[in-house]
Amino acid sequence: MINTMECAMDAQNLISISLRKIHNSRTQRGGIKLHKNLLVSYVLRNAKQLYMNEKYAEIYRMQQYEEVMTVCNEIQELNPLDLAEDIVEASGDCCSHVAGSPLIMEPASVCCALPASNHPAHTPHQQQQLQATAACSAAGLALQNEEVCKETNSAFFRSCCAEAYPVTDCDFSSLSAVHCNKTTVLDLDTHVVTTVESGYLHQDCCAVQCQGAQAPAKKRKFDFGCYAAESEEVPDFTPCKRARFEDFYCPHSEQLDTSNISNLISIFGSGFTGLVSRQADSEFSLNGQFCSKQTLASLGAWTRAIVAF
Amino acid sequence: MAGVGGGNDLQWCFAQVKGAIDEDVAEADIISTVEFNYSGDLLATGDKGGRVVIFQREQESKNHPHSRGEYNVYSTFQSHEPEFDYLKSLEIEEKINKIRWLPQQNAAHSLLSTNDKTIKLWKISERDKKAEGYNLKEEDGRLRDPFRITSLRVPVLQPMDLMVEASPRRIFANAHTYHINSISVNSDHETYLSADDLRINLWHLEITDRSFNIVDIKPANMEELTEVITAAECHPNQCNVFVYSSSKGTIRLCDMRAAALCDRHTKFFEEPEDPSSRSFFSEIISSISDVKFSHSGRYMMTRDYLSVKVWDLNMENRPVETYQVHEYLRSKLCSLYENDCIFDKFECCWNGTDSAIMTGSYNNFFRMFDRNTRRDITLEASRESSKPRGILKPRKVCTGGKRKKDEISVDSLDFNKKILHTAWHPKENVIAVAATNNLYIFQDKIN
């Protein structure tokens, strides 16, 4: 168990500091120091583990399942589009199981939060509108849930893929990745549309849409009717709030630890271009924390980076 | 508290300090390695600028029989220059990582010095005579016209001012892909090993175009890399045995008779981690920065970030002694990680009789531990306490609560003043302590 009391720094800070060190080592005299970067990657892994655990604890403490259910229903009403019948069914089924494990929360949130992304006809703009009108604080909340739950259940993908959502019951742990190998998700804060394809992340977003994302992020925190009470207890990750929703990890999370470290190792050789996603180039130096989340998300895409050593 | 290093009445005094006094330290002048030779008469230092400076001890004066000779500059030469690897677009630093003396076989002295990629064998020889009366050339070197020579003479050796020359006799290059962290001369006096992050090579001192790879921990897929080699040393009397330490806090002892490639260790030394002390930085602070055999060859000592451990070669599951160097830093690991101090690689050394060990810390403090009395002492290498033959006052770091007079609080420590390199004279109680760009020499007070 990692002792979290030893310093004021939280996991997220450590992650951004670590990534900054790795980035800086690229330009240090004498070439990349393998030993130092290996040690930094261990800190990254430890910080990530703690962050994950804390997120889990946060989810688990959620009490307001009923509110989520209510909002779910509201959204269904707002979106009269013909969603796949099974999603609607699923939301009903899932929501009733929310009192159980956090894993079950995830599909509920998926159904509730992202009905639009399942529909190919919807443009990002329309999706934004849908989300905005829904004022779905619970959806935002649920997104948090799903991103965390997703990480631990390697077999589970978010359901919003073009194919039919093969839900027969609420036992989502048995959901095979085979059925769902492509997921599109909308980030409510930055309006970034992201597609995860077989574990590889593509940032499809339009940078323009993300510009005004900072204010909504802050605002949203207070919109969470059900969440406000919880937020004080939860470790404060808000400095990088918008990035949280973009934190999509490779579904094969049990491999994530070693793959993250190893990806970093291989990234050293590929000249660190993998650490800076397309979108975040200009923002890297401005907001290390934002980049840290982006970077962690994009690590999965670099499993085959060339080792230059 | 006195008494460390061989007797209750032992006290340490300032002897000398070498190096510039100004506050503005040039990076190139930062000392990166310190090493006494086998007799202790020569003391070599290497710096980040690739320069080697050798000090020689004066002969003890007859007028002052009880005063030990001073160390004066004997030779200075540029060992390594910065290089550029065009293939990888990498600059190779000229910083001297290690110096190791070779046993003296004739009038000349030899040492090995290494930077990240290349090891060089330097011969340091004295010249105090020159030949005069050549037939074919004038005294100033101009060639004489052979037809003008009418008689022959035998050149005669004439005394001249002492000149110390250093010449590179061997250059051992292109054998390491990763950064060299250690070199160690074997007890057979014919071979030596060099270690980088992933491999260890065995060389013959006479052969530069060939080297045997004896340890290779590079995984087939670099993405699976979990540990690197941090230090390696040959056993002081068994020429077939060497050890290497890893970033995971483990030490492997290998026997070169067992196989050509010593990937499988003969002994594996590891202390199980205390799960209650787990933190974000557990991996970093357990990484071993130095490993040194005792002179006897029975023990070895390892240095990790917070402690020094003495291992009995016959017991693999835990060290026989553990000494805390600066445990008060454990609660500061976050800040030390931020400012990169947590990556500092401290060295450690034994005294000549293996009864005491020494290692450095921050704020120009260094620590000595007496293995017999279990007493320890913290001393400071500073200009302020450098009165000729002035006795060094023990220092104490206050860890909490009320700070007593003369104590220094943890938050007041200067983490830019670090003592990473120290050396102990092989036979006497004389120590050399490198504090950034200054070399301090301390000795015991003669009673």
Side-chain angles (χ1 to χ4, degrees), chain A residues 33-36 38-39 42, chain B residues 97-98 116 176-184 193-202 212-219 222 225-234 242-254 261-265 268 286-291 303 345:
Chain A
K33 291 177 176 36
L34 189 62
H35 183 203
K36 181 176 175 184
L38 182 68
L39 296 177
Y42 274 115
Chain B
N97 292 335
K98 284 286 184 318
D116 284 338
H176 287 279
T177 309
Y178 301 94
H179 295 134
I180 297 174
N181 52 57
S182 314
I183 47 173
S184 179
L193 63 76
S194 60
D196 67 28
D197 290 323
L198 298 178
R199 298 188 177 103
I200 301 179
N201 294 334
L202 187 72
F212 291 99
N213 175 243
I214 53 176
V215 173
D216 188 340
I217 65 167
K218 182 176 180 184
M222 274 297 273
L225 182 75
T226 56
E227 67 181 327
V228 297
I229 297 169
T230 53
E233 200 181 42
C234 291
F242 67 93
V243 291
Y244 67 93
S245 59
S246 84
S247 55
K248 278 191 169 175
T250 64
I251 309 105
R252 289 170 177 81
L253 185 145
C254 300
L261 190 62
C262 300
D263 275 359
R264 279 168 47 194
H265 51 262
F268 182 73
S286 64
S287 175
I288 292 174
S289 52
D290 194 17
V291 65
R303 175 72 156 97
K345 295 186 184 171

Side-chain angles (χ1 to χ4, degrees), chain B residues 301-317:
Chain B
M301 164 167 59
T302 57
R303 175 72 156 97
D304 50 66
Y305 191 65
L306 296 178
S307 68
V308 185
K309 295 177 182 174
V310 175
W311 303 78
D312 184 326
L313 292 192
N314 298 317
M315 188 160 78
E316 297 170 53
N317 59 351

